[in-house]
Amino acid sequence: MDDEAIIERLIAAYSQIRYEKILKPWIMDEKDNVLFEDKTKELSEYDFKIYDNVMKIEKMKSILQQHKLKNGLDYVIIDYIQLCETSQKSNSTNERISHISRQIKLMQKELKVPFLVLSQLSREQEKNNRPPKLTDLRDSGSLEQDADSVWFLYDKNAGEYDQDKSDTTEVDLIIAKQRSGRRDIFTQLNYYKSTQKFFEKTPF
């Protein structure tokens, strides 16, 4: 996904304007236009940077260090770890992901900011239509080992295309690992497909 597509989804979620209207602004009504202008102005006041190119973990570290030094750094999101590359030679995908996972952990400790790292899951979970488990983290057990917490989003209706008739689907938030608290499952999220946003049904 390029940076333009990410921004479009961000605007849809932040403004609660249907994503298809963001893609086709000529179908917006006056109310949508006012909301779009107000919310994009608010978003422009946030200082965030999007890199939509695949980069090596060593280069990522250098960029983040410079950001921290020049502008400060509050939060890092990596989407997703299997797309990261490294200068270090490896004999397998498992070895490559293990190295990258460890480097991200070291970066987090050095920069002292939260890292949100997305990961693919194995196909076994999808085939069996069951809630994901730590063993479903794809390519390396190091992901489970290095992470301070592991959260899964589980849609029971995934793959049931009739469900798309509804704009809302209920999603489980599964905290499978938590070094600083308890593990649990919260069936308290609603996902709105038209705006691509999650909402809490009730406070946790």
Side-chain angles (χ1 to χ4, degrees), residues 65-174:
Q65 287 173 329
Q66 292 177 34
H67 271 300
K68 174 112 180 177
L69 183 64
K70 294 180 179 179
N71 306 308
L73 188 67
D74 298 313
Y75 202 82
V76 178
I77 301 173
I78 299 176
D79 181 18
Y80 54 93
I81 192 170
Q82 281 82 9
L83 284 180
C84 294
E85 298 290 346
T86 177
S87 299
Q88 178 170 299
K89 294 183 179 179
S90 56
N91 298 317
S92 65
T93 300
N94 187 301
E95 188 176 308
R96 178 177 67 87
I97 297 300
S98 294
H99 172 73
I100 291 171
S101 175
R102 186 58 182 164
Q103 291 306 304
I104 291 174
K105 181 66 176 180
L106 293 174
M107 274 197 291
Q108 187 273 325
K109 294 185 72 173
E110 176 186 334
L111 297 170
K112 293 181 171 57
V113 297
F115 273 63
L116 173 62
V117 183
L118 306 187
S119 171
Q120 285 187 327
L121 298 181
S122 70
R123 289 293 183 186
E124 290 303 313
Q125 178 270 329
E126 185 176 321
K127 290 177 183 177
N128 297 325
N129 191 27
R130 58 166 173 76
K133 300 185 291 187
L134 290 172
T135 53
D136 292 317
L137 289 171
R138 187 169 175 177
D139 296 324
S140 175
S142 295
L143 299 180
E144 174 190 347
Q145 175 182 321
D146 293 332
D148 290 325
S149 62
V150 179
W151 294 19
F152 297 115
L153 292 173
Y154 175 54
D155 179 4
K156 304 181 186 70
N157 299 303
E160 297 179 13
Y161 298 106
D162 287 344
Q163 183 69 14
D164 284 340
K165 294 176 182 178
S166 170
D167 184 43
T168 309
T169 187
E170 190 176 80
V171 176
D172 286 347
L173 170 62
I174 302 171

